[in-house]
């Protein structure tokens, strides 16, 4: 064959090969292009970022995220960060069309030359974006072809800067960090702009193998990879050799991210999380970067937590000692066993409480070991005398005669360091002296609410969130007992009763019919006062008076009032319900009391003031009032101050509501919560104790703040025959009120227009009794309500002294006729 013919044949074969090759490539391109994800969706890329909850003072409350990420636009990233990642991951990124052909050929040659080693990859930054956003991590040839096709398309659609932005905010850099900004914070506690060249090079070294190059676990390999990045940056002209040498000499300092100033309110935060989940869904909460401004006041929350905890401790100590926290049978190995106990059952309570092990019991003291720092200590018997044994139904046994009646060697106990015994003139204890403590098994809840708006300023759901996430403030449905009575009295005021009306406090028998047993309610303590004013009946929480009024008013009206104020939605119209037998929650009761105190203006309890999306747009705001002048530009002269306008109208008769509020103020000065009189401010409150003392309540309102307190066991049982809302819950309210009202002048309740105030002699003093127009003494409408089928009382001359028509004594009330 001649040379010319050979050339012709060779060209023919080459042409055929080119045609076949081109057709093959086109066929593969068509095959693998079919069904590819739309790369244009990257234009709307919104990475999963952290949602954050903030307290009212701006402190961080909680964070929720699936991936820890801080999104930073590429324009805000330091140029050197971009250069480092390009040098390390894709040297020719700014010049190739999506695939680095030279890099691919180099990888092929290296893989052929080293068949036994792990194959080298050749995915550039654009290919990694295609894989991370649009494909899976499946290591197959088909996926690599699809990745290459998408890389070409992405390069045709987006700028190099946009591709870098996508990459640097999405890339995983180990230890749960997504994106370079989040990694900078968590590895070095610095923003991107604060990183040194050495730190930037280290972050750029991580994408290849984040765990392998972890600076804490694999320091040698981490430095080696960092130095490789520095060399690449030098070769590509991004840094000088001198800069690289200085950076190589720098020791990387792993710094834990400094603690952000946070607010501590676990029960509150969890309730906000549940509400956000219900409103926006799980995906929005954990991926959409919501900014949530809550109503939490951290200072009030701290007061509420402390008051509830102290109240539970006080109750628990009165009901005796339930035994050691744990026991160590063999003291020869006490240290190992104590460490296991402390890890398995971590102590939850005040930070000053500690676990310790009893290693010696003397006649008047106990020696303890295992204390942090001090190691050893002493518990004198004087700090153990409260520890009488707990008996059935919360009763207690006899007082201990010595330490051996309380503890034994090997007992793990809870202690707290003390400096001196209780008492003003007590001598100080020696150093390393401790008192015996006990973690309460009783639980409780507190809600602090803005009376006018329903904003929840604090919420405590129990002893410790770590012990139980069950929130007694919102999840525990319990009988309110006597705390429900104000709503019975409100229905009575609507029906013509007044605080001065007389109701018989005497035996009451109710036949429910249908063969059911007779119901014979009793007063707490079993006593009866006879004819008594309605006001005094509420102050002393008289059950017999309450059911008499409920029977005359009718339970249907009471059910309507309860529903209107949000106490409960489906209360049965049965007479025992008048004594608080229907179940409700502490949050609902606090809301209902707030609406009594604000004059029946509707509120919705809210834990959130505002929710903003990732772009700062407000998507929810809680504010029942409107603002006049907010956001308006001044038009000449000094701008007028913005004014909040409350357009709400009372949903219930304000006159009846105020009559009840007036009576409730007597509860906190002369009644079952009379201890609160020492606070020296108007408080409309009511205690609550249910049958067999299963639950104790106190709710109290001022015109500004309403506080609800509940105490009880999670599995309902008696708190003890002598335990009441006034003895348990009211002191917790008192402790909270002392702190939050400190230095603030008292605020009186607003009196609706038209009411008549009449000065009466009452319980050794005088009060201003409240009457609706036309029902005050001296008017034709003034009467004492008839009950139990007796004849109507006639109008009374208020100057005639403490006598009613017919000569019967009216306890506690006599009118002087002074109206103003």
């Amino acid at each position: 064959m001649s040379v010319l013919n050979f050339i012709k044949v060779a060209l023919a074969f080459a042409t055929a090969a080119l045609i076949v090759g081109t057709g093959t490539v086109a066929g593969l391109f068509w095959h693998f292009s079919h069904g590819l994800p739309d790369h244009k969706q990257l234009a709307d890329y919104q990475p999963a970022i952290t949602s954050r909850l903030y307290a009212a003072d701006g402190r961080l409350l909680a964070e929720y995220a699936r991936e820890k990420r801080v999104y930073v636009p590429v324009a805000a990233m330091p140029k050197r960060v971009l250069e480092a990642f390009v040098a390390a991951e894709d040297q020719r990124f700014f010049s190739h069309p999506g695939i680095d052909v030279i890099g691919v050929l180099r990888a092929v040659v290296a893989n052929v030359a080293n068949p036994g080693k792990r194959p080298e990859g050749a995915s550039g930054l654009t290919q990694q974006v295609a894989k991370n956003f649009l494909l899976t991590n499946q290591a197959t040839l088909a996926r690599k072809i699809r990745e290459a096709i998408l890389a070409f398309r992405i390069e045709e659609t987006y700028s190099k800067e946009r591709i870098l932005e996508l990459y640097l905010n999405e890339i995983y850099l180990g230890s749960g960090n997504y994106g370079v900004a989040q990694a900078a914070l968590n590895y070095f506690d610095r923003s991107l702009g604060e990183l040194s060249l050495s730190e930037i090079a280290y972050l750029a070294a991580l994408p290849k193998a984040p765990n392998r190059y972890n600076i804490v676990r694999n320091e040698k390999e981490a430095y080696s990879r960092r130095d490789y990045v520095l060399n690449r940056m030098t070769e590509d002209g991004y840094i000088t050799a001198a800069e690289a040498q200085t950076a190589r000499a720098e020791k990387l300092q792993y710094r834990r991210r400094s603690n952000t100033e946070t607010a501590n309110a676990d029960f509150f935060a969890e309730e906000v999380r549940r509400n956000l989940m219900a409103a926006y869904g799980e995906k929005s909460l954990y991926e959409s970067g919501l900014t949530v401004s809550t109503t939490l006041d951290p200072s009030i929350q701290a007061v509420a937590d402390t008051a509830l905890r102290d109240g539970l401790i006080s109750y628990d100590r009165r009901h005796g000692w339930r035994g050691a926290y744990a026991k160590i049978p063999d003291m020869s190995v006490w240290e190992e066993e104590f460490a296991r106990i402390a890890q398995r059952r971590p102590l939850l309570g005040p930070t000053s409480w500690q676990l310790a092990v009893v290693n010696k019991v003397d006649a008047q003291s106990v020696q303890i070991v295992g204390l942090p720092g001090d190691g050893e200590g002493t518990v004198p018997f004087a700090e153990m005398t409260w520890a009488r044994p707990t008996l059935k139904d919360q009763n207690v046994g006899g007082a201990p005669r010595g330490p051996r009646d309380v503890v034994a060697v090997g007992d793990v106990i809870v202690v707290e360091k003390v400096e001196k015994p209780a008492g003003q003139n007590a001598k100080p204890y020696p150093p390393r002296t401790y008192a015996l403590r006990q973690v309460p098994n009783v639980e409780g809840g507190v809600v602090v609410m803005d009376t006018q708006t329903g904003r929840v300023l604090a919420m405590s759901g129990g002893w410790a969130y770590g012990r139980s996430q069950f929130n007694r403030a919102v999840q525990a449905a319990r009988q309110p007992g006597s705390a429900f009575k104000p709503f019975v009295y409100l229905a009575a005021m609507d029906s013509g009763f007044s605080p001065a009306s007389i109701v018989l406090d005497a035996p009451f028998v109710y036949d429910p019919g249908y063969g059911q047993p007779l119901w014979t309610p009793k007063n707490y303590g079993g006593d009866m006062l006879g004819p008594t004013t309605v006001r005094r009946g509420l102050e002393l929480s008289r059950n017999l008076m309450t059911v008499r009024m409920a029977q005359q008013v009718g339970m249907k009206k009471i059910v309507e009032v309860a529903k209107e104020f949000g106490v409960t939605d489906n209360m049965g119209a049965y007479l025992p319900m008048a004594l608080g037998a229907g179940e409700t929650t502490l949050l609902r009761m606090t809301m209902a009391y707030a609406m009594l105190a604000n004059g029946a203006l509707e509120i919705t309890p809210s834990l959130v003031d505002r929710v903003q999306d990732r772009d700062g747009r407000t998507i929810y705001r809680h504010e029942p009032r409107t603002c006049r002048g907010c956001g308006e530009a001044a038009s000449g002269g000094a701008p007028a101050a913005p004014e909040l306008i409350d357009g709400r109208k009372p949903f219930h008769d304000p006159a009846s509501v105020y009559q009840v509020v007036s009576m409730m103020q007597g509860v906190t000065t002369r009644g079952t919560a009379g201890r609160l009189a020492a606070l020296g401010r108007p408080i409309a409150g009511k205690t609550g104790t249910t049958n067999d003392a299963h639950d104790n309540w106190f709710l109290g309102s001022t015109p500004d703040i309403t506080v609800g307190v509940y105490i009880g066991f999670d599995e309902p049982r008696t708190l003890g025959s002598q335990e009441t809302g006034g003895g348990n819950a009211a002191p917790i309210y008192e402790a909270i009120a002392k702190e939050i009202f400190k230095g603030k002048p008292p605020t009186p309740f607003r009196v609706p227009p038209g009411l008549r105030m009449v000065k009466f002699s009452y319980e050794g003093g005088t009060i201003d009794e409240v009457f609706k127009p036309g029902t005050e003494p001296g008017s034709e409408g003034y009467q004492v309500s008839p009950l139990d089928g007796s004849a109507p009382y006639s109008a009374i001359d208020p100057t005639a002294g403490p006598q009613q028509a017919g000569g019967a004594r009216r306890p506690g009330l006599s009118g002087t006729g002074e109206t103003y």
Side-chain angles (χ1 to χ4, degrees), residues 63-119:
E63 294 181 320
Y64 301 105
R66 299 194 196 283
E67 301 173 352
K68 294 185 290 185
R69 177 185 285 106
V70 176
Y71 186 83
V72 179
V74 69
M77 293 184 186
K79 184 179 180 182
R80 191 155 277 181
V81 170
L82 310 183
E83 294 169 344
F85 277 86
V86 168
E89 292 294 306
D90 194 349
Q91 178 184 7
R92 285 168 284 276
F93 170 73
F94 287 105
S95 58
H96 68 60
I99 296 177
D100 182 4
V101 178
I102 297 174
V104 170
L105 293 175
R106 178 186 53 76
V108 169
V109 171
N111 291 334
V112 171
N114 301 285
K117 293 186 177 180
R118 182 178 178 180

Side-chain angles (χ1 to χ4, degrees), residues 7 35 49 68 84 98 196 229 253 295 322 380 415 528 549 611 623 638 729 740 775 810:
I7 293 173
I49 57 177
K68 294 185 290 185
S196 68
V229 175
Q253 296 289 332
T295 59
R322 296 186 301 280
V415 297
M528 288 169 279
M549 284 192 295
V611 179
E623 176 53 75
I740 64 178
T775 67
R810 300 185 341 174

Side-chain angles (χ1 to χ4, degrees), residues 93 101 134 149 249 256 264 270 305 344 385 432 442 491 507 523 530 571 588 671 686 703 717 749 798 813 817 819-820:
F93 170 73
V101 178
L134 303 173
I149 295 170
R256 289 187 177 275
N264 185 20
E270 173 59 16
D305 287 341
R344 189 170 63 248
T385 55
R432 298 200 296 273
V442 71
N523 287 326
M571 190 175 84
R588 275 181 168 247
K686 184 69 186 74
R717 56 190 173 94
F749 288 94
L813 179 64
T819 305
Y820 58 94

Side-chain angles (χ1 to χ4, degrees), residues 25 28-34 36 39 99 127 130 135 142-156:
V25 170
L28 288 173
F29 189 89
W30 179 86
H31 174 74
F32 287 106
S33 295
H34 187 67
L36 277 179
H39 64 285
I99 296 177
Q127 289 171 271
L135 298 172
R143 197 268 293 164
K144 293 293 290 184
I145 296 173
R146 289 174 180 269
E147 179 185 291
I149 295 170
L150 283 171
F152 282 124
R153 292 180 176 179
I154 290 171
E155 290 273 355
E156 290 175 352

Side-chain angles (χ1 to χ4, degrees), residues 549-740:
M549 284 192 295
Q551 186 180 49
Q552 175 152 327
V553 168
M555 282 304 300
K556 286 186 177 180
K557 286 186 179 180
I558 294 168
V559 168
E560 290 172 3
V561 170
K563 185 174 183 179
E564 196 176 22
F565 279 81
V567 175
T568 181
D569 294 328
N570 300 299
M571 190 175 84
Y574 311 113
L575 198 56
M577 294 294 181
L579 297 182
E583 292 184 340
T584 186
T585 66
L586 179 60
L587 182 64
R588 275 181 168 247
M589 287 295 290
T590 308
M591 171 190 70
Y593 270 61
M595 289 191 289
L596 285 175
N598 70 20
L601 299 178
E602 185 176 2
I603 59 174
T604 300
S606 177
L607 287 75
V608 173
D609 278 335
R610 184 171 63 165
V611 179
Q612 295 169 283
D613 64 15
R614 67 171 68 218
D615 299 316
R617 291 189 295 265
T618 297
I619 58 177
Y620 169 82
R621 186 189 298 275
H622 172 81
E623 176 53 75
R625 301 163 295 182
T626 58
C627 182
R628 178 185 296 162
C630 291
E632 295 181 6
S635 56
E643 180 183 4
L644 284 174
I645 306 298
D646 194 340
R648 294 172 295 172
K649 302 296 182 184
F651 60 84
H652 201 96
D653 178 16
S656 294
V657 170
Y658 183 78
Q659 286 180 309
V660 173
V661 168
S662 175
M663 290 187 282
M664 291 168 67
Q665 291 178 68
V667 173
T668 62
T669 53
R670 298 173 295 271
T672 54
R675 62 180 295 150
L676 302 181
L679 294 174
R681 65 181 59 242
I683 300 170
K686 184 69 186 74
T687 55
T689 306
T690 60
N691 282 346
D692 300 321
H694 280 194
D695 307 287
N696 285 174
W697 298 72
F698 179 78
L699 297 108
S701 295
T702 68
D704 304 314
I705 300 292
T706 297
V707 180
V709 181
Y710 159 80
I711 289 181
F713 290 102
D714 284 347
E715 295 183 4
R717 56 190 173 94
T718 183
L719 291 164
S721 59
Q722 302 301 311
E723 298 295 347
T724 65
N728 279 318
I732 296 175
Y733 174 93
E734 182 179 17
I736 296 171
K738 280 182 178 178
E739 292 300 318
I740 64 178

Side-chain angles (χ1 to χ4, degrees), residues 49-65:
I49 57 177
T50 304
S51 291
R52 291 183 172 86
L53 274 56
Y54 293 95
D57 64 356
R59 278 190 267 175
L60 181 66
L61 177 59
E63 294 181 320
Y64 301 105

